[in-house]
Amino acid sequence: MKKFLVTLTLSLFAIYYLSPLLATFFYASSTSWEKSILPDDFTLQWFVQLLGDRAFLGAVGRSLLLATLMTMIVFIVLVPTMIWIHLYFPRWDQALQKIVLLPYAIPGVILVTALLRTYSKSNIPMFFVLLGALFISMLPIVYLGISNQMKLVNMKELVEAAETLGVPMFPIIRSVLIPNLKVGTTLVSLMVFSSVFGEYMLTNLLIGGRFETLRIYMLRRMNENGHVASAVMILYFLFLLVTAFSIFYFNKKQTKKIVVREKMEEPVYEKLLNHS
Amino acid sequence: MKNYLTTRNLSLSFGDKKILKDISFDVQKGEFVTLLGPSGCGKSTLLRCIAGLEQPQEGILELDGEEIQNRPTRERDIGFVFQHYALFPTMTVFENVAFGLKARKLEKGTINQRVFRLLDLVQLTEFADTNVQRLSGGQKQRVALARALATEPKILLLDEPLSALDAKIRKQLQKDLRHIQKELNMTMIFVTHDQEEAMLISDRVFVLEAGEIVQASSPFELYTSPENPFVAEFIGNNVSFDWEELNEYTSVFSGMGNRHLYYVRPELIATRETKGAFRIPVKLQSVSTLGNIRRYRFETNRGKEILVDRLNDWHDIPETHFLYIDPEDVIVVDVQRVVNE
């Protein structure tokens, strides 16, 4: 009975989550769907049309550029800073945990208005202003994600243990920090990438049509053709799915490499054991 | 004997709170010293200062004739064993123990030999290629010990390494630790809040109270000759009397005045009259069995509780009784220090 209830609840959740996606897929695959409860016929023409549209491919490229750049900036600037704070200035952590939540407290329109008033007359290109704004908006995801992972593995103590063994900082980063933060950084990178890839409000209000990303393209096409907009949504979803699987696959492969290395060293242990 | 580790006037504050107050002590080579005290007394902080994991505001630290207080942790040549092991979770037992040696760029053969010698010492050879996350708590702490010893540090610091383990494994590791320390002639400083553990494995015990070392003695001296009321009350069980109270039963201490407190250990209180002993009328309240001893709880006619410990085979305690205390068994402690504070 208990198992049945669990299965039922999970099934209901699955239906709740998957039904909009399935409906979007069917709408994107239908010739027209207006007169009855079922579509008139099925077709892949909207997908074909989309993949042949240079504006679509350009929008994908721009979104990809923005998401990749932002993920890189986060990993080059934010993650090392956070590790530094966690290890050497732990008292700042409590204050920072509150500060990083500010982007949630400031409505997007106010943020954009303030940014436009500040930077529109300056020589700074709006693309860089957008990157800065996105960076700030990613703070809660990155800070809380990495900070929790560091607390989970007790990173401070691991680094201290390595220091007492006389290990210099670079090997500590390579052999202690990176492997132990892998899960957290993978999830954070995925969240940053997908959030920026699908970001609409800041990009649209700050740059708009001058830098048409996938979401801006989708909303423009929605007014013209709902089927095409649905096809964009499905491709967008599939792209993120493939990205997520690729990151997880890459991580798993790295872990396997470590295991294989351990196994390769096994005969050395045995040789020594037999020798002694 | 030459001092191996010397601390002079070590002080550390976090904000307005003084954690360590002017701490000075010496440790000799091959000595096993325990820092003992209640939670929050500063014993772990003191250990972290020696390792360089905390930076004291004042004081000098000397190890093997060299000042080390300004050196970073990785250049101090000090091993450290953490309470919760701090093993690298993505590595095997072998890799954990070898980690410090690899950083020293030793030859692979030397690393292998040294790691296996230590794994043999902590009886974990067959777990060499096991991921440390698959080990039990006791095994993890053995790996942590082997890892800390691998780099052949000048001194090994152990921060409550056994407190997360269950009683049986803890007792075994206490023995193993002492055995390893003697075998390697390693200087060790061990932190614990467990007085029994401290007394069992140490050459000397430093008792800390509120950031100060209040007594540094051998376990025997600590138990038989506490130098202040804190140590007398912190170490073991006792019955304490003030001067007026004691004068009701004996005039031996009448000349000493109320600057002192008087303690008697429960196992030294007799139930039969002995020569020179003074007697206290009491009534038996309860009896409890604590493994190899039985603890009898008496009460005086003024309602004061007196504990008496006897081996388990002692059954002839009548309900109303006199207890006998030899004045020589009374520990007299000066309370002046407490009064000043």
Side-chain angles (χ1 to χ4, degrees):
Chain A
M1 186 64 188
K2 203 176 168 186
K3 198 180 170 188
F4 170 75
L5 280 174
V6 171
T7 314
L8 181 72
T9 315
L10 287 176
S11 306
L12 286 172
F13 268 110
I15 291 166
Y16 180 74
Y17 280 111
L18 289 176
S19 51
L21 195 68
L22 286 171
T24 310
F25 174 72
F26 286 130
Y27 195 68
S29 319
S30 62
T31 49
S32 70
W33 193 353
E34 287 156 4
K35 293 167 193 160
S36 66
I37 196 163
L38 290 170
D40 297 344
D41 200 1
F42 288 103
T43 178
L44 288 176
Q45 62 168 312
W46 311 120
F47 288 100
V48 175
Q49 188 187 329
L50 202 57
L51 292 170
D53 183 359
R54 291 184 70 176
F56 170 74
L57 297 176
V60 171
R62 280 184 285 275
S63 288
L64 205 57
L65 174 74
L66 206 58
T68 312
L69 264 178
M70 188 45 57
T71 312
M72 282 169 66
I73 291 170
V74 159
F75 275 89
I76 292 167
V77 179
L78 201 52
V79 174
T81 311
M82 285 179 52
I83 292 171
W84 197 253
I85 290 168
H86 183 84
L87 296 180
Y88 301 108
F89 303 99
R91 286 178 190 190
W92 291 10
D93 183 57
Q94 271 196 335
L96 281 165
Q97 285 214 15
K98 291 180 186 103
I99 292 169
V100 296
L101 291 176
L102 283 178
Y104 286 144
I106 302 169
V109 179
I110 294 174
L111 179 68
V112 170
T113 311
L115 286 170
L116 282 173
R117 290 194 75 161
T118 313
Y119 294 103
S120 60
K121 284 173 190 164
S122 74
N123 291 327
I124 301 168
M126 284 316 274
F127 179 74
F128 292 112
V129 177
L130 173 66
L131 280 180
L134 287 173
F135 180 82
I136 298 291
S137 70
M138 289 300 118
L139 272 176
I141 295 174
V142 182
Y143 194 88
L144 298 179
I146 301 286
S147 172
N148 287 341
Q149 175 72 16
M150 281 196 285
K151 282 174 191 156
L152 189 75
V153 295
N154 202 353
M155 188 55 76
K156 188 170 162 44
E157 205 166 87
L158 292 183
V159 171
E160 284 179 351
E163 283 180 344
T164 59
L165 294 171
V167 183
M169 204 56 201
F170 182 69
I172 293 179
I173 293 170
R174 192 188 55 210
S175 308
V176 179
L177 281 172
I178 293 174
N180 285 292
L181 287 178
K182 216 167 173 184
V183 177
T185 48
T186 305
L187 290 174
V188 163
S189 61
L190 201 60
M191 286 165 82
V192 169
F193 187 88
S194 55
S195 303
V196 176
F197 194 78
E199 207 284 327
Y200 172 71
M201 195 196 64
L202 287 173
T203 319
N204 189 41
L205 293 176
L206 282 174
I207 309 185
R210 282 175 290 155
F211 192 80
E212 192 177 59
T213 57
L214 191 61
R215 284 293 297 276
I216 300 176
Y217 173 86
M218 191 177 84
L219 281 150
R220 177 167 67 78
R221 294 302 305 266
M222 201 178 261
N223 297 327
E224 299 166 12
N225 186 334
H227 296 282
V228 172
S230 298
V232 175
M233 194 48 123
I234 292 299
L235 288 177
Y236 167 62
F237 172 75
L238 286 175
F239 179 76
L240 284 184
L241 200 67
V242 170
T243 310
F245 276 117
S246 307
I247 292 174
F248 280 116
Y249 177 74
F250 175 74
N251 253 338
K252 214 174 168 185
K253 214 173 160 188
Q254 289 288 313
T255 316
K256 266 187 188 165
K257 263 188 196 169
I258 293 167
V259 174
V260 168
R261 189 161 50 82
E262 283 170 9
K263 293 228 161 120
M264 278 171 70
E265 284 180 13
E266 227 168 39
V268 180
Y269 303 162
E270 282 169 4
K271 217 185 285 174
L272 267 155
L273 281 172
N274 294 335
H275 183 69
S276 62
Chain B
M1 224 174 176
K2 197 185 160 196
N3 292 329
Y4 194 58
L5 174 78
T6 302
T7 79
R8 288 283 168 267
N9 312 106
L10 217 61
S11 295
L12 172 75
S13 303
F14 290 143
D16 295 337
K17 199 178 174 195
K18 277 203 159 187
I19 308 296
L20 300 176
K21 300 170 193 166
D22 224 18
I23 290 202
S24 301
F25 65 84
D26 301 308
V27 177
Q28 279 144 21
K29 188 159 173 57
E31 200 177 13
F32 195 116
V33 165
T34 293
L35 305 179
L36 174 70
S39 298
C41 69
K43 54 191 186 299
S44 289
T45 311
L46 175 56
L47 208 67
R48 288 174 64 81
C49 282
I50 298 169
L53 300 171
E54 300 289 349
Q55 200 55 48
Q57 279 96 16
E58 284 170 50
I60 291 170
L61 264 170
E62 251 182 52
L63 178 63
D64 198 14
E66 290 176 29
E67 279 196 20
I68 57 164
Q69 72 271 12
N70 296 322
R71 286 190 195 169
T73 300
R74 61 174 65 90
E75 288 171 21
R76 290 195 180 195
D77 212 358
I78 288 176
F80 202 99
V81 178
F82 294 80
Q83 183 178 357
H84 297 292
Y85 329 123
L87 296 177
F88 309 121
T90 54
M91 297 184 195
T92 62
V93 168
F94 183 92
E95 285 172 326
N96 262 279
V97 181
F99 191 56
L101 300 175
K102 280 180 184 166
R104 282 170 166 73
K105 296 192 168 62
L106 296 182
E107 278 182 20
K108 208 174 174 183
T110 314
I111 294 176
N112 285 341
Q113 274 178 351
R114 209 186 279 184
V115 171
F116 273 99
R117 188 167 53 93
L118 283 162
L119 289 184
D120 190 36
L121 194 68
V122 296
Q123 298 155 28
L124 283 174
T125 311
E126 69 269 36
F127 294 97
D129 54 346
T130 305
N131 183 285
V132 288
Q133 293 187 83
R134 294 190 193 142
L135 303 178
S136 68
Q139 288 169 330
K140 280 181 183 168
Q141 202 52 286
R142 284 171 199 271
V143 178
L145 184 62
R147 182 181 66 178
L149 290 169
T151 55
E152 295 179 350
K154 287 179 176 169
I155 188 166
L156 184 64
L157 311 178
L158 304 106
D159 188 7
E160 303 206 39
L162 311 180
S163 61
L165 306 171
D166 66 55
K168 198 177 168 189
I169 295 169
R170 190 178 176 141
K171 283 205 163 62
Q172 183 57 46
L173 275 179
Q174 285 167 355
K175 278 189 217 160
D176 294 349
L177 197 59
R178 189 60 163 150
H179 167 73
I180 290 166
Q181 185 261 337
K182 282 191 169 163
E183 185 154 321
L184 301 177
N185 192 33
M186 173 66 69
T187 312
M188 290 189 184
I189 302 182
F190 182 89
V191 161
T192 184
H193 58 261
D194 181 339
Q195 45 168 294
E196 196 186 318
E197 188 169 86
M199 310 272 275
L200 189 73
I201 59 175
S202 319
D203 292 318
R204 277 194 301 159
V205 180
F206 296 179
V207 182
L208 274 93
E209 184 203 4
E212 286 179 278
I213 294 180
V214 289
Q215 187 167 349
S217 314
S218 70
F220 181 76
E221 280 175 348
L222 204 65
Y223 190 74
T224 53
S225 315
E227 289 169 6
N228 57 64
F230 175 79
V231 176
E233 284 166 28
F234 187 69
I235 305 290
N237 291 300
N238 59 65
V239 183
S240 70
F241 299 93
D242 60 31
W243 182 68
E244 283 170 4
E245 226 175 353
L246 206 58
N247 273 335
E248 277 184 32
Y249 308 118
T250 175
S251 59
V252 176
F253 304 97
S254 58
M256 300 197 80
N258 54 10
R259 270 188 46 169
H260 298 88
L261 274 176
Y262 306 85
Y263 297 92
V264 186
R265 298 294 183 191
E267 68 276 12
L268 296 175
I269 300 173
T271 52
R272 294 196 178 96
E273 192 166 1
T274 51
K275 200 182 168 190
F278 60 90
R279 70 178 192 179
I280 301 171
V282 288
K283 198 172 176 186
L284 182 65
Q285 299 296 317
S286 65
V287 184
S288 29
T289 305
L290 311 172
N292 59 338
I293 60 162
R294 300 191 101 191
R295 177 158 296 160
Y296 297 85
R297 193 172 71 81
F298 293 93
E299 229 174 67
T300 64
N301 49 12
R302 291 176 65 178
K304 183 183 181 64
E305 183 185 72
I306 296 183
L307 299 176
V308 176
D309 286 349
R310 280 293 173 276
L311 283 173
N312 234 339
D313 58 355
W314 194 64
H315 299 293
D316 59 340
I317 295 273
E319 279 203 8
T320 312
H321 207 78
F322 285 105
L323 293 176
Y324 299 88
I325 297 172
D326 186 335
E328 285 192 2
D329 291 333
V330 176
I331 302 165
V332 184
V333 177
D334 192 339
V335 294
Q336 192 63 45
R337 201 181 135 269
V338 178
V339 172
N340 285 344
E341 279 176 4

